[in-house]
Amino acid sequence: GAAMLLWLWLWLWLCVCCWPARGLRIHEYLYFQVLSPGDIRYIFTATPAKDFGGVFNTRYDQIHLVPADPPEACGELNNGVFIQDQIALVERGGCSFLSKTRVVQEHGGRAVIIADNAYDNDSFYIEMIQDSSRRTADIPALFLLGRDGYMIRRSLEQHGLPWAVISIPVNVTSIPTYEMMQPPWTFW
């Protein structure tokens, strides 16, 4: 009896102390849902920048996700007027994650989603860390898988649309599992 109780206590302790990753995992991610165009009406998973950028204090039920022009957003944006008060979709490469975030912030963007430039990346999240410049950024910066970013941009191009309409952040714990609309190219 006592040995069994001790074993049970030890097992519970191990579950709580040594395997927290599964329970905490949801906090490492931020989710957004594309509302339009309809062919990519899915819930996407992004990871917040590790040591720079702001947090979402507001939930945006309908906000534009605007692909930056040029896509790497390392300088002046040709479509900066459309990014004002919206969220920019930017591509990795050319300059630091922080530089991209600052460019979007300077154009009045509410946040930036930086997609990997490896279009076939459907599982590897990159940790976005500050560069060595000691600059800061106040808007949230998120990292998106390359495959997801590519599929969003491709859909917009096919429909001739300048932006997608999204909700961000989305609380996936409040969505029944049958409604968990993950992109079909994602392995969950």
Side-chain angles (χ1 to χ4, degrees), residues 11 16 53 60 66 106 113 122 125 130 186:
W11 184 82
V16 171
Y60 300 102
V66 184
E106 284 157 16
I113 297 175
D122 60 9
Y125 288 90
Q130 200 160 0
T186 304

Side-chain angles (χ1 to χ4, degrees), residues 14-163:
L14 278 170
C15 286
V16 171
C17 301
C18 303
W19 298 319
R22 199 164 176 81
L24 296 176
R25 198 172 160 192
I26 201 127
H27 303 296
E28 296 169 10
Y29 296 118
L30 191 139
Y31 302 89
F32 67 93
Q33 181 171 10
V34 172
L35 305 175
S36 112
D39 61 337
I40 51 165
R41 197 181 160 94
Y42 302 116
I43 293 172
F44 292 89
T45 305
T47 52
K50 190 174 172 65
D51 60 5
F52 71 90
V55 294
F56 282 95
N57 307 323
T58 312
R59 179 172 184 265
Y60 300 102
D61 287 319
Q62 289 196 357
I63 191 165
H64 294 164
L65 178 63
V66 184
D69 174 24
E72 290 182 345
C74 291
E76 191 62 33
L77 300 179
N78 300 322
N79 64 340
V81 65
F82 296 118
I83 285 165
Q84 174 89 38
D85 291 325
Q86 308 301 325
I87 296 176
L89 177 62
V90 169
E91 217 170 285
R92 180 181 176 205
C95 59
S96 72
F97 293 121
L98 178 59
S99 291
K100 295 170 188 299
T101 307
R102 287 179 55 90
V103 166
V104 170
Q105 180 176 312
E106 284 157 16
H107 285 82
R110 298 271 174 96
V112 61
I113 297 175
I114 302 171
D116 196 357
N117 50 5
Y119 296 163
D120 57 349
N121 178 5
D122 60 9
S123 58
F124 184 68
Y125 288 90
I126 287 165
E127 210 165 66
M128 298 196 305
I129 56 171
Q130 200 160 0
D131 60 23
S132 55
S133 67
R134 294 193 175 167
R135 297 171 303 168
T136 58
D138 304 319
I139 63 169
L142 306 172
F143 182 80
L144 184 65
L145 295 174
R147 172 66 57 88
D148 291 347
Y150 169 75
M151 296 303 268
I152 292 169
R153 280 192 307 271
R154 193 183 78 167
S155 173
L156 293 176
E157 283 166 20
Q158 285 173 346
H159 293 286
L161 294 169
W163 54 69

Side-chain angles (χ1 to χ4, degrees), residues 175-188:
I175 300 170
T177 47
Y178 64 86
E179 281 183 31
M180 283 291 286
M181 301 183 338
Q182 292 299 303
W185 56 87
T186 304
F187 299 108
W188 246 62

